[in-house]
Amino acid sequence: MPKFYRYLIYRFYTWRLDKKDDTPVATIIFSMAAIHFIQIAILLMILSKFFPSLVPVFKQRKIFVTFFYFTISLLLYFLIYNKEKWQYYIEEFKNESTQQRRTRGIFVWLFTFGSIFLFFILLPVLFWNYSL
C-alpha cells in the first residue's frame, strides 16, 4: 500500500481512537468511501464533458447511488481493513517530527476536503449553461 494511503489511515485511525469513537473502523471506512465516491464523481464529471453518453450516470435514482456508496464501503472494508496492519501503521508513523506531521497533515486535508471542494468547483465550471 502506498505510504500516503498508510499515513491517511494512520491519521484517521488515531484521530478516531483519540476521540474515543465506539466504531472507529466503520467511521474511517465510511469516510474514506465518501471521499472516494466524490473522487469517482469528479472523474465521471470530467469524462462526461468529453463523452456526453456518460451524462445518464448522474441521473440515477437515489437508491442506486446509495447502493453504489455502500458497495464502495464494503469493497474498502475488504481491501484495506486489517487490524494488525493498522496497528503497524501507528507504529510506523508514531515517531514523526512536528514538521513532518504538519506537512503530511496538509496533504491529508487536501486529499479529504480538497476532493469535496474540487467537486463543487468543477460542477458549475463543467455544466453551467453560460449562454444566457
Side-chain angles (χ1 to χ4, degrees), residues 9 12-13 16 23-33 80 86:
I9 292 169
F12 278 163
Y13 193 49
R16 295 317 308 161
T23 56
V25 174
T27 304
I28 294 164
I29 295 294
F30 287 137
S31 299
M32 292 180 79
I80 69 169
W86 284 23

Side-chain angles (χ1 to χ4, degrees), residues 37-48:
F37 186 79
I38 288 172
Q39 291 169 341
I40 291 169
I42 289 170
L43 286 174
L44 288 173
M45 280 190 328
I46 293 169
L47 287 174
S48 68

Side-chain angles (χ1 to χ4, degrees), residues 47-79:
L47 287 174
S48 68
K49 187 65 177 175
F50 300 107
F51 303 104
S53 61
L54 289 174
V55 171
V57 170
F58 294 103
K59 297 179 181 178
Q60 298 300 318
R61 292 194 164 122
K62 291 177 188 175
I63 191 73
F64 178 75
V65 175
T66 305
F67 175 76
F68 186 64
Y69 170 75
F70 283 111
T71 303
I72 290 174
S73 299
L74 190 64
L75 283 173
L76 274 174
Y77 177 77
F78 287 121
L79 289 174

